[in-house]
Amino acid sequence: MKIQRAILSIAAAVVAVTMGADAQGAEERSSNLSPQVLQEITKVEAEIDLTEAQAIERLAAPPDNQIQQIELLGKLMLYDKNLSVNRNEACAFCHMPETGFTGPVSELNRTTGAYPGSVRTRFSDRKPQSHAYAPLSPVLHYNPGQGDLVGGNFWDMRATGRRLGNPAAEQAQGPPTNPVEMGLPDIACAVYRASQRPYRALFESVWGVQSFAIAWPGDVEQVCNRPGPATAADPLPVHLSPIDRGRVGATFDQMAQSIAGYEASAEVTSFTSKFDAVLAKKAQFTPQEQQGYDLFRGQARCNECHRDGGPGEDPLFTDFTASNIGTPANPRLPYYGEDRPDALGYVANPLGSSFVDGGVGTFLSNGHLLSQPSAVDARWLKLAPDNQARIRVPTLRNVDKRPYPAFVKAYGHNGYFTSLKQIVHFYNTRDVLPRCQPHDPGEGTTCWPAPESTANMNTSKVGRLGLSDAEEDALILFMQTLTDGFEH
């Protein structure tokens, strides 16, 4: 019955948005989201609601294995819109399975690159990463032999995993209080909202009855309904006793560990691609796919950063380091325009159009402007100049997973590239083609804009690969074998 009710409410929501009469319609229209974007968002939200309803049904007879209980809790929280300030945005809104757990709205990928937050007029400064395979990243550490920081999560490695021992768990702690994402003013709000949800009993049975044994102040609803960030004068606006504040911190950690547990499960991190089947000798590459793989390991030099595995090494298609490949700035990011106070008086991007993403270097030197889930190791400050503008090497697993062929995916930390062909062509020709003139119709084909930053730019492995058009296409065909779901 719960699933049937969810489906009916989903249908009602679809009709409401189509008629422009949904509860958040006025706010969303004011954010200049196009009708096509709103329609796609409605479909994604419907899918999220249905997935959540199905997961809630499982609470009637939860698994008797603690690991599976933790995975179920993590899934319930990832698909819970109530953990955002306006109760309208689940974590999954930026990380859906049909796209390999990254951004599921084709029109946003094509236009803005970044996604709106719970406050729909606020957008992030980067595109969503995939959270599949993220829990397999090592805790961030410095390797002096190779001169690299290795590990962590987020494009700038700021979810280090140094505190919880798991970068994916610390990554999960960023969005809830990020003003341009889920927007809560205090981590206590995430814990309070979770205490009101159907999964509370399961959470207490796994993590202990003390998890929500917290004396909430009388104004907690009012405080948690007000979008963050908190003010400098009142940085923890949910006013709790020291003991209750400690409980909130511990429970928030356990929420994050549950989410990371689900992300590590076979439902998300599945190793079920054609590539895996070929490794297991259950399938064979086509001649073009094999050509692409040979190029990947050879002339195209992809395997030097997007590692396909070695002795004792899972083929995760990243080496967990960071690099500046010279990606152009993405002028479509709404973040550049977030330099004035919004309706709530918040300025997301004080630098406006002069903002330059400093990547790992900025995290090391002064943290991230929007969310800081992990503390910065002060001993690493001296590494900041050599890491300025460097961006974490993403996994290529599910790099081309999409729900239908015409679906647009965004690539690069800022979503500048809108096709796999385009980013492969960039790697191949960045230093060969001329700089584009303003509004050049050849942009992305016969010319490239200047890099957003030339600091520490990778000139040894990117930019002049000498690949033919057919070889670029063969590389793409190989990368399409990294899409999970080939084996069931």
Side-chain angles (χ1 to χ4, degrees):
M1 287 298 294
K2 289 179 183 175
I3 292 178
Q4 288 175 334
R5 285 197 297 273
I7 293 171
L8 287 173
S9 69
I10 289 161
V14 171
V15 170
V17 169
T18 303
M19 295 172 64
D22 63 303
Q24 293 157 7
E27 185 215 354
E28 292 190 341
R29 282 194 297 276
S30 73
S31 68
N32 297 317
L33 294 174
S34 71
Q36 185 175 344
V37 166
L38 289 173
Q39 188 175 17
E40 281 195 73
I41 285 176
T42 301
K43 289 179 181 177
V44 170
E45 289 177 341
E47 188 181 343
I48 289 170
D49 288 343
L50 182 57
T51 302
E52 182 193 36
Q54 291 168 336
I56 288 172
E57 288 281 285
R58 292 174 57 196
L59 290 171
D64 57 7
N65 177 280
Q66 190 182 59
I67 297 300
Q68 293 170 16
Q69 291 169 359
I70 289 171
E71 290 173 4
L72 177 57
L73 281 172
K75 183 172 186 176
L76 284 160
M77 285 183 277
L78 271 175
Y79 286 86
D80 188 354
K81 294 191 293 191
N82 291 277
L83 299 183
S84 64
V85 65
N86 289 325
R87 302 178 188 270
N88 62 341
E89 183 163 285
C91 296
F93 177 66
C94 292
H95 306 279
M96 290 295 280
E98 64 267 23
T99 54
F101 299 96
T102 183
V105 180
S106 178
E107 187 63 7
L108 285 176
N109 298 339
R110 187 184 72 82
T111 55
T112 60
Y115 276 51
S118 182
V119 178
R120 292 299 198 208
T121 53
R122 298 178 181 177
F123 283 74
S124 180
D125 57 336
R126 296 172 180 146
K127 78 168 267 319
Q129 282 185 293
S130 169
H131 65 217
Y133 302 93
L136 304 184
S137 172
V139 171
L140 187 63
H141 59 280
Y142 180 62
N143 183 324
Q146 66 188 57
D148 272 324
L149 284 161
V150 184
N153 273 186
F154 281 124
W155 289 111
D156 58 8
M157 299 176 157
R158 73 183 186 277
T160 67
R162 296 280 295 281
R163 188 172 67 84
L164 296 179
N166 186 334
E170 291 184 29
Q171 184 279 327
Q173 296 187 322
T177 55
N178 188 330
V180 302
E181 293 189 26
M182 298 169 82
L184 293 168
D186 190 324
I187 64 167
C189 295
V191 175
Y192 172 72
R193 295 274 183 92
S195 76
Q196 311 296 305
R197 303 298 293 144
Y199 49 80
R200 173 175 176 156
L202 179 61
F203 194 102
E204 289 172 326
S205 74
V206 170
W207 295 109
V209 293
Q210 81 292 336
S211 301
F212 302 112
I214 295 163
W216 298 107
D219 65 350
V220 63
E221 285 277 1
Q222 180 184 351
V223 170
C224 291
N225 288 338
R226 187 165 54 240
T231 65
D234 191 13
L236 300 173
V238 178
H239 299 150
L240 300 168
S241 71
I243 287 176
D244 284 339
R245 179 54 65 175
R247 283 184 177 153
V248 157
T251 302
F252 191 58
D253 286 349
Q254 290 154 354
M255 291 170 67
Q257 288 165 324
S258 300
I259 289 171
Y262 173 62
E263 291 173 352
S265 73
E267 192 173 314
V268 180
T269 298
S270 63
F271 293 96
T272 56
S273 69
K274 182 175 182 178
F275 176 85
D276 297 298
V278 170
L279 278 189
K281 297 184 168 44
K282 296 177 181 176
Q284 286 186 313
F285 288 136
T286 67
Q288 255 190 308
E289 289 167 352
Q290 184 63 55
Q291 179 195 14
Y293 188 31
D294 293 341
L295 288 163
F296 186 92
R297 293 179 60 86
Q299 183 180 345
R301 307 189 69 175
C302 312
N303 196 49
E304 295 179 34
C305 295
H306 297 282
R307 296 274 300 152
D308 67 345
E313 196 181 318
D314 268 333
L316 294 172
F317 291 90
T318 172
D319 64 356
F320 303 106
T321 65
S323 181
N324 176 12
I325 64 167
T327 303
N330 182 3
R332 303 185 301 278
L333 285 176
Y335 186 70
Y336 288 115
E338 295 180 62
D339 57 345
R340 296 175 297 280
D342 64 12
L344 299 165
Y346 173 64
V347 180
N349 175 22
L351 295 174
S353 59
S354 63
F355 167 78
V356 174
D357 195 328
V360 177
T362 295
F363 159 62
L364 294 175
S365 57
N366 55 12
H368 187 274
L369 180 65
L370 302 172
S371 78
Q372 299 185 49
S374 308
V376 182
D377 189 334
R379 292 167 295 186
W380 288 348
L381 183 60
K382 64 182 181 290
L383 305 176
D386 288 341
N387 281 279
Q388 195 63 25
R390 295 180 76 188
I391 299 291
R392 168 79 144 62
V393 176
T395 178
L396 295 183
R397 283 185 171 271
N398 294 310
V399 70
D400 199 50
K401 186 169 186 179
R402 62 189 73 228
Y404 52 88
F407 182 94
V408 175
K409 289 189 78 167
Y411 299 97
H413 67 281
N414 58 11
Y416 170 81
F417 306 101
T418 53
S419 74
L420 204 49
K421 174 69 174 179
Q422 191 182 30
I423 192 169
V424 168
H425 188 57
F426 176 79
Y427 269 81
N428 186 27
T429 63
R430 183 197 68 193
D431 299 340
V432 177
L433 298 178
R435 289 274 180 261
C436 294
Q437 299 302 311
H439 313 294
D440 197 314
E443 182 174 338
T445 307
T446 58
C447 69
W448 292 110
E452 179 179 7
S453 172
T454 56
N456 304 301
M457 196 165 78
N458 187 331
T459 55
S460 64
K461 302 173 186 175
V462 181
R464 193 182 296 269
L465 301 178
L467 302 173
S468 68
D469 187 62
E471 287 171 329
E472 289 183 359
D473 292 342
L475 261 179
I476 291 165
L477 285 170
F478 165 68
M479 286 191 276
Q480 288 170 340
T481 72
L482 304 179
T483 295
D484 284 324
F486 180 83
E487 294 186 283
H488 296 285

